[in-house]
Amino acid sequence: MTRKQPGPEQLRRRKDRLNSLIYLSPSLIGVMVFFLVPFMVVIYYSVIDNPVNKDFVLIDNFIKVIKNSAFKQAAANTAKFSLVAVPGAVVLALLLAMLLENKIPGKSRFRTFFLSPMMVPVASVVLIWQVIFHYNGALNGLLSVFGVDPIDWLKTDYSQIMIVILFWWKNLGYNMILFMAALANIPKTLVEAASVDGASSFSRFWHIKIRYLSPTILFVTILSLINSFKVFREVYLLTGDYPYETLYMLQHFMNNKFSSFDYQMLSAAAIIMAVVIVAIIGALFYAENRFGKDVEQ
Amino acid sequence: MASITLKNVDKTYDGDVKAVSGFDLEIKDKEFVIFVGPSGCGKSTTLRMIAGLEEISSGEIYIGDRLVNYVEPRDRDIAMVFQSYALYRHMTVYKNMAFSLKMHKVPKEEIDRRVRETAEMLGLTHLLDRKPGALSGGECQRVALGRALVRSPSVFLLDEPLSNLDAKLRSDMRAEIIKLHKKLQTTFVYVTHDQTEAMTMGDRIVIMKKGLIQQVDSPKDIYDHPKNKFVAGFIGTPQMNFFDGEIKTEGGRCFAEACGSRFAIDGRYAAFSGRKVCVGVRPEHMELCAGAAPENVISGGRIELVELLGSDINVHASLGDIRFVVRSQWQSGLEMGSAVNVRVDTSRIHIFDAETEENLAMTETEAEA
């Protein structure tokens, strides 16, 4: 039996497929090498006893991680931090964006002011924070004028508040710009129709604007959530491997496990964290899909 | 129900762009007034100033006896229908219509009664549970009207509400809105750039150009007695034909000389003898004729195009550089390039000053007054 020769349409499709694969390959290779393959390796490490024996242990590593008190502490701190920092970063950025929507003098300067922390490298940010909050820093210097005893801000229960403020300072500007763009995209006539219909400025926000902002709220929330997990960089540079207990984040746990070559625990913790993040993001997408579907063009 | 008074209202953008200048108008209670004009003439801006969506730069606006310059839109007791309908896409038709009543804290039972009554009146009852995304353009338009109607406001403002509809729907909705106005007996202010809407719907038409009122009159008066060349050209389809010419008197008779012919005009124009003018004749006041004549006939025209409109035709013709259109009943033998003579109904002729473009008949009347 002879094989049927491909027609010109089939040949064209094959060529298109090959072309698209060629164009995609640089990104594809990058994603494979730096994300997919390492993630597969992480999954593999999470189900073996150690990289030498390589005995399959199923969920033992996960159970060990969940029972580990350092992990519990780190997870609780990270969750607490994210629960405060993320909604705050979303709400404050939205409030700032709405404030700057009005005709106020020096509007563009305010915008630049809020955006500038984005351009400052993490190391410099940390340096500024150290100058302010160090035991011998500026804040204690100022407080001493009023007779207040110096406080070691980063080694007290205030430390998490410091980090939340640092996180907001670093992230508010960008979130605010995203919200400003979203606010500018709300159809003007809808807001006008609502004001003719008798809606107060709060009602206009609550009944109309927030619907149109929901995709941006989702995006900013996800972005802030991811950034909140990345706050480790700042905390690590400020306080090192073993910070004050309220600042001990999940990444500290992973970093320390990495240093002690405990790849199984590290991988299991990373997978748990990834699953939680995916679950949260999935829930956010679901909520946004239900809430904002009618207003999407 | 309320009257609207605009006293010397100005709107200036960014310090020097004048959108509306010296706008003086009194709209009577229950009147249906149309603002019409080309794009950028300031008609929508004026409507938005009445609604309170646009601040006024100077002047005063009254709704009823109340000065509303600094009153928020929500406290002006107005309802507005927008060109884009501005329906809340995330709310059902019912909620869209109930929104303003809810904002005014009307009891739930009352809201329900009024929404259902209005929906019934506009034939929207079967659509109450749908969202705007699932409605056709015409249905959206009805919902937008319903949302305005349900509040029984004292003034209705409509900003080109039919411009997004197809021709058939537009004509149906036009009739609906006229009926609604008759039924509701409320003040309507309607903005359009469509002269058919302007002519058929309003008690009075306000024609605007570059932020200035050109003429305020009933549709019939605007058609018959345009105050200037702009108004004459703007109202009427096809638009009025204009011929440059001069007024002459001869043997006690008065003529307008234009396009190589002369048109006998009323003796009252004798006062303008020797004046350069623009002679305006509507296409429907001209007719194709067989022979040439020394008076009232444009001879030697060439047919450029014949538009068939059903029972009527528009004959586009030229005479040298001059182009004109004649509305006529259908007749055979009209071919492109063939010669044509046109008789002008001189009793319907309009004479505009070539420089000021004012209608000389009205200048004369005003001078007499």
Side-chain angles (χ1 to χ4, degrees):
Chain A
M1 207 173 93
T2 52
R3 227 172 125 195
K4 203 184 160 194
Q5 287 293 312
E9 180 64 16
Q10 257 178 310
L11 278 174
R12 195 184 59 78
R13 264 192 222 156
R14 256 186 228 175
K15 201 179 157 197
D16 281 354
R17 230 173 283 154
L18 187 72
N19 274 342
S20 35
L21 208 65
I22 291 169
Y23 290 125
L24 279 174
S25 56
S27 305
L28 210 60
I29 291 168
V31 171
M32 291 278 281
V33 172
F34 295 107
F35 290 96
L36 290 180
V37 174
F39 196 68
M40 293 299 152
V41 174
V42 165
I43 293 174
Y44 174 68
Y45 276 154
S46 71
V47 291
I48 57 169
D49 63 346
N50 63 57
V52 184
N53 290 344
K54 295 176 185 163
D55 284 341
F56 184 64
V57 293
L58 199 63
I59 56 167
D60 285 3
N61 291 327
F62 292 94
I63 294 168
K64 252 199 278 180
V65 166
I66 289 166
K67 284 183 176 164
N68 185 293
S69 62
F71 176 81
K72 280 192 221 165
Q73 170 81 43
N77 284 343
T78 308
K80 213 194 296 175
F81 174 78
S82 298
L83 271 175
V84 177
V86 174
V90 176
V91 172
L92 288 175
L94 181 55
L95 286 177
L96 278 174
M98 284 166 69
L99 193 73
L100 290 182
E101 215 194 358
N102 298 310
K103 282 181 195 158
I104 52 168
K107 195 168 152 174
S108 64
R109 276 182 207 155
F110 274 115
R111 218 163 26 202
T112 316
F113 172 76
F114 284 114
L115 208 59
S116 54
M118 249 185 81
M119 294 169 259
V120 183
V122 179
S124 313
V125 173
V126 167
L127 197 69
I128 297 167
W129 240 242
Q130 269 174 343
V131 168
I132 299 172
F133 297 109
H134 192 267
Y135 188 73
N136 296 318
L139 188 59
N140 279 341
L142 187 73
L143 289 175
S144 69
V145 176
F146 302 101
V148 180
D149 289 334
I151 302 165
D152 198 351
W153 297 99
L154 293 166
K155 287 181 183 146
T156 60
D157 287 344
Y158 295 116
S159 56
Q160 211 163 22
I161 299 171
M162 300 295 110
I163 300 302
V164 169
I165 294 171
L166 170 66
F167 176 80
W168 285 345
W169 183 69
K170 188 102 175 71
N171 290 283
L172 276 185
Y174 186 57
N175 292 355
M176 181 190 79
I177 294 289
L178 292 174
F179 277 126
M180 284 175 84
L183 282 168
N185 271 335
I186 298 175
K188 205 176 149 211
T189 48
L190 277 189
V191 182
E192 288 177 345
S195 58
V196 171
D197 274 348
S200 62
S201 53
F202 176 76
S203 298
R204 290 200 290 273
F205 172 76
W206 189 246
H207 292 289
I208 313 293
K209 287 186 181 177
I210 203 159
R211 291 287 182 155
Y212 285 83
L213 289 174
S214 66
T216 311
I217 293 175
L218 171 78
F219 180 65
V220 169
T221 308
I222 292 173
L223 204 69
S224 303
L225 189 70
I226 292 166
N227 284 338
S228 79
F229 279 84
K230 290 197 320 205
V231 83
F232 164 75
R233 277 186 315 187
E234 285 84 345
V235 179
Y236 184 79
L237 287 171
L238 269 172
T239 58
D241 282 338
Y242 292 95
Y244 185 71
E245 63 175 21
T246 57
L247 290 184
Y248 189 75
M249 300 286 179
L250 270 177
Q251 290 88 339
H252 280 101
F253 175 80
M254 290 183 205
N255 201 44
N256 295 343
K257 290 292 163 201
F258 183 76
S259 307
S260 57
F261 302 107
D262 194 348
Y263 297 141
Q264 308 75 252
M265 289 274 271
L266 162 66
S267 304
I271 287 173
I272 292 172
M273 192 169 133
V275 167
V276 171
I277 293 180
V278 167
I280 294 171
I281 292 176
L284 285 171
F285 264 108
Y286 177 75
E288 198 280 325
N289 204 20
R290 284 189 66 101
F291 190 70
K293 69 172 176 191
D294 293 312
V295 297
E296 277 157 26
Q297 299 296 320
Chain B
M1 276 136 275
S3 61
I4 303 169
T5 311
L6 294 104
K7 284 188 184 166
N8 204 19
V9 172
D10 277 344
K11 176 69 192 177
T12 312
Y13 288 108
D14 296 331
D16 56 350
V17 183
K18 279 221 162 204
V20 177
S21 308
F23 197 101
D24 270 311
L25 182 69
E26 204 155 318
I27 300 169
K28 293 192 269 307
D29 183 20
K30 299 174 193 169
E31 200 177 10
F32 196 142
V33 169
I34 311 270
F35 291 173
V36 69
S39 299
C41 71
K43 54 191 190 298
S44 285
T45 308
T46 311
L47 189 85
R48 289 168 58 80
M49 287 194 284
I50 298 173
L53 298 172
E54 206 83 57
E55 272 179 36
I56 64 172
S57 305
S58 67
E60 289 173 343
I61 298 180
Y62 293 86
I63 295 179
D65 297 329
R66 189 163 67 125
L67 179 68
V68 293
N69 281 22
Y70 304 106
V71 177
E72 286 282 308
R74 65 198 186 111
D75 298 322
R76 292 192 182 199
D77 194 19
I78 49 160
M80 188 159 168
V81 179
F82 293 81
Q83 183 179 0
S84 60
Y85 315 134
L87 297 180
Y88 312 125
R89 297 174 65 90
H90 57 287
M91 295 184 195
T92 60
V93 169
Y94 183 97
K95 284 186 177 166
N96 263 282
M97 289 170 72
F99 185 72
S100 63
L101 297 174
K102 196 175 151 192
M103 290 298 112
H104 285 94
K105 301 195 166 53
V106 175
K108 263 190 179 173
E109 300 73 35
E110 175 70 4
I111 293 179
D112 190 64
R113 188 186 63 76
R114 279 160 72 171
V115 168
R116 288 186 192 284
E117 252 178 39
T118 312
E120 182 72 42
M121 183 163 76
L122 293 169
L124 292 170
T125 309
H126 64 293
L127 303 173
L128 284 177
D129 293 328
R130 287 208 206 154
K131 286 185 178 171
L135 302 179
S136 68
E139 288 166 342
C140 283
Q141 219 293 322
R142 277 168 194 274
V143 177
L145 266 180
R147 192 173 64 178
L149 284 176
V150 78
R151 284 174 47 196
S152 318
S154 50
V155 174
F156 273 101
L157 306 173
L158 302 102
D159 188 4
E160 307 204 30
L162 307 183
S163 58
N164 290 349
L165 302 180
D166 63 50
K168 164 85 175 69
L169 259 178
R170 203 180 319 177
S171 133
D172 292 348
M173 285 308 294
R174 215 161 49 210
E176 291 276 336
I177 293 174
I178 297 169
K179 277 192 239 161
L180 269 178
H181 174 249
K182 298 246 182 300
K183 190 172 174 186
L184 297 169
Q185 292 289 303
T186 308
T187 315
F188 272 52
V189 184
Y190 189 106
V191 164
T192 182
H193 61 262
D194 181 320
Q195 50 163 302
T196 316
E197 283 174 25
M199 292 298 284
T200 53
M201 297 173 86
D203 297 324
R204 278 196 300 162
I205 300 178
V206 178
I207 299 195
M208 295 177 71
K209 180 193 173 190
K210 291 181 182 166
L212 292 166
I213 294 182
Q214 300 295 308
Q215 189 168 358
V216 183
D217 245 319
S218 69
K220 179 89 174 91
D221 280 341
I222 285 200
Y223 181 80
D224 287 338
H225 309 291
K227 208 175 160 192
N228 56 38
K229 193 179 161 189
F230 171 78
V231 174
F234 192 77
I235 294 290
T237 318
Q239 80 157 38
M240 187 183 276
N241 298 300
F242 295 108
F243 309 107
D244 291 333
E246 194 178 331
I247 294 182
K248 292 265 171 78
T249 44
E250 205 178 293
R253 292 177 71 209
C254 202
F255 297 97
E257 279 189 359
C259 31
S261 182
R262 60 185 201 171
F263 308 103
I265 52 174
D266 198 284
R268 62 190 164 150
Y269 290 109
F272 303 105
S273 184
R275 178 135 356 154
K276 297 272 180 217
V277 293
C278 184
V279 177
V281 193
R282 294 200 184 277
E284 51 272 38
H285 300 146
M286 298 166 100
E287 59 174 350
L288 304 174
C289 62
E295 270 181 28
N296 306 337
V297 172
I298 302 171
S299 313
R302 295 259 156 224
I303 295 177
E304 288 192 334
L305 174 74
V306 179
E307 279 179 327
L308 179 63
L309 306 171
S311 60
D312 287 348
I313 49 169
N314 287 334
V315 180
H316 294 250
S318 65
L319 182 71
D321 291 341
I322 307 163
R323 283 188 163 67
F324 56 94
V325 184
V326 181
R327 169 70 66 93
S328 166
Q329 290 205 316
W330 189 85
Q331 49 189 278
S332 57
L334 296 173
E335 278 169 22
M336 269 169 67
S338 62
V340 70
N341 296 327
V342 177
R343 180 178 301 282
V344 172
D345 178 356
T346 51
S347 66
R348 310 295 294 269
I349 229 168
H350 302 273
I351 311 284
F352 303 99
D353 187 293
E355 209 172 299
T356 63
E357 299 192 345
E358 293 294 309
N359 189 336
L360 288 182
M362 296 182 85
T363 317
E364 181 205 34
T365 319
E366 277 165 21
E368 276 172 13

